[in-house]
């Protein structure tokens, strides 16, 4: 996999201060896409273990709330395959923590943006692969859906067009219901 950019101390792509990884490669080709250079799967640099370290090191301070996966599209099949081992390592370094009531909490949360719908990523969906269930299990907020120019709205938080949803994936795992957050 290639990546186009890493943004550290990012406050634009999820709640709190985060590290954001822009992977390369996207087949959605949304009209009006704000970064068409990332459609090319070979844009940018190779995502190797040195890059893993750079990202993981940047997440160490307590004030870094988490990691955002952006693109391109992290859920293109080949990107899922290469992101999965990295995400396993991220969870190994930043495991969930247990409170006094034995409730588990994320040490660092994960946001992921995709031009596909959650339904496309579920078993039977067109983007579901052998890697998808585990990769999705690490995601707390999924921002899904293509960017639709006609529905563009500059006042929206963390999304470009009104059709896109900010889905609480922990709630989805708990109840099986799609619950959107932050007014989406
Ligand atoms: S999914 Fe994102 S990166 Fe891909 S074409 Fe749409 S807006 Fe651009």
């Amino acid at each position: 996999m290639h990546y186009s950019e890493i943004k550290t101390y990012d406050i634009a792509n999820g709640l709190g201060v985060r590290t954001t990884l822009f992977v390369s490669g996207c087949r959605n080709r949304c009209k009006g896409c704000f970064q068409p250079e990332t459609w090319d799967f070979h844009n940018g640099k190779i995502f190797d273990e040195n890059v893993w370290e750079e990202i993981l090191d940047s997440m160490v301070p307590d004030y870094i709330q988490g990691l955002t996966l952006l693109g391109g599209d992290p859920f293109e099949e080949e990107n899922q395959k290469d992101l999965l081992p990295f995400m396993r390592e991220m969870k190994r370094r930043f495991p969930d923590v247990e409170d006094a009531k034995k409730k588990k909490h994320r040490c660092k949360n994960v946001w992921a943006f995709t031009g596909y719908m959650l339904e496309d990523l579920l078993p039977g969906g067109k983007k579901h692969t052998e890697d998808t269930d585990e990769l999705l299990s690490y995601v707390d907020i999924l921002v899904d859906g293509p960017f639709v120019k006609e529905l563009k709205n500059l006042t929206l938080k963390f999304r470009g067009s009104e059709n896109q949803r900010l889905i609480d994936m922990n709630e989805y795992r708990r109840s099986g219901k799609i619950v959107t957050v932050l007014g989406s």
Side-chain angles (χ1 to χ4, degrees), residues 23 25-36 38-39 70-73 76 113-116 145-148 164:
V23 304
C26 178
R27 298 186 179 92
N28 284 292
R29 299 183 169 264
C30 308
K31 272 188 209 155
C33 169
F34 59 105
Q35 45 191 8
T38 66
W39 295 359
L70 233 156
D73 202 307
E76 294 296 0
F113 288 69
T114 177
Y116 299 102
F147 172 69
V148 178
Q164 294 169 316

